[in-house]
Amino acid sequence: MRKKKYIYILLACYVATFLRVFLNNNFLVSIIGSLFFGFIFAKRLSSSKEKIILSGFFSCFTSFSGFIYFLYKILNQGDWIKFIIFFNFIIIINLFTMYFGFWISRKIT
């Protein structure tokens, strides 16, 4: 059974990476990922399903490296104010979006 769970995680990662290639906008991917992460997290799934979806799919879909690369490009321009604003803006928007997904999930069930 343990091998089967790892195969499901790998398949979830593959699907997420495939979708990530077609959505070339880091901010949009981050918002979509946060919304669905909150939605799925509120469902209180079993431990194995939660690992497959949250750790497998969403970790590959939202890719932290895209967020870091975006901030690196701003920082490379030497614009510290813009860097600080975008850094805080992205984190705050994603937290609110995740909470909104959580809230929607609770209202549906």
Side-chain angles (χ1 to χ4, degrees):
M1 184 64 179
R2 190 175 182 119
K3 288 181 185 179
K4 196 174 187 180
K5 182 170 65 170
Y6 290 126
I7 290 172
Y8 287 142
I9 290 173
L10 287 173
L11 288 173
C13 291
Y14 174 75
V15 170
T17 304
F18 184 74
L19 287 174
R20 183 71 172 94
V21 168
F22 289 108
L23 295 172
N24 198 19
N25 186 335
N26 287 326
F27 185 71
L28 180 65
V29 167
S30 178
I31 295 297
I32 292 169
S34 294
L35 179 72
F36 285 117
F37 190 92
F39 188 84
I40 297 298
F41 187 71
K43 291 295 183 188
R44 296 185 183 151
L45 302 173
S46 67
S47 176
S48 61
K49 287 180 183 176
E50 192 173 277
K51 285 179 184 175
I52 291 168
I53 294 172
L54 299 181
S55 298
F57 182 82
F58 286 113
S59 64
C60 287
F61 182 68
T62 56
S63 77
F64 184 69
S65 59
F67 170 67
I68 295 299
Y69 179 67
F70 175 74
L71 291 175
Y72 173 76
K73 288 192 310 186
I74 293 172
L75 194 59
N76 236 8
Q77 296 169 355
D79 194 354
W80 282 91
I81 302 293
K82 188 176 179 181
F83 171 80
I84 292 169
I85 290 170
F86 273 108
F87 179 80
N88 290 311
F89 177 72
I90 290 170
I91 290 175
I92 290 169
I93 292 295
N94 282 315
L95 282 173
F96 279 118
T97 306
M98 186 175 138
Y99 179 75
F100 184 64
F102 186 86
W103 180 77
I104 289 173
S105 180
R106 292 295 176 162
K107 290 293 181 183
I108 290 174
T109 54

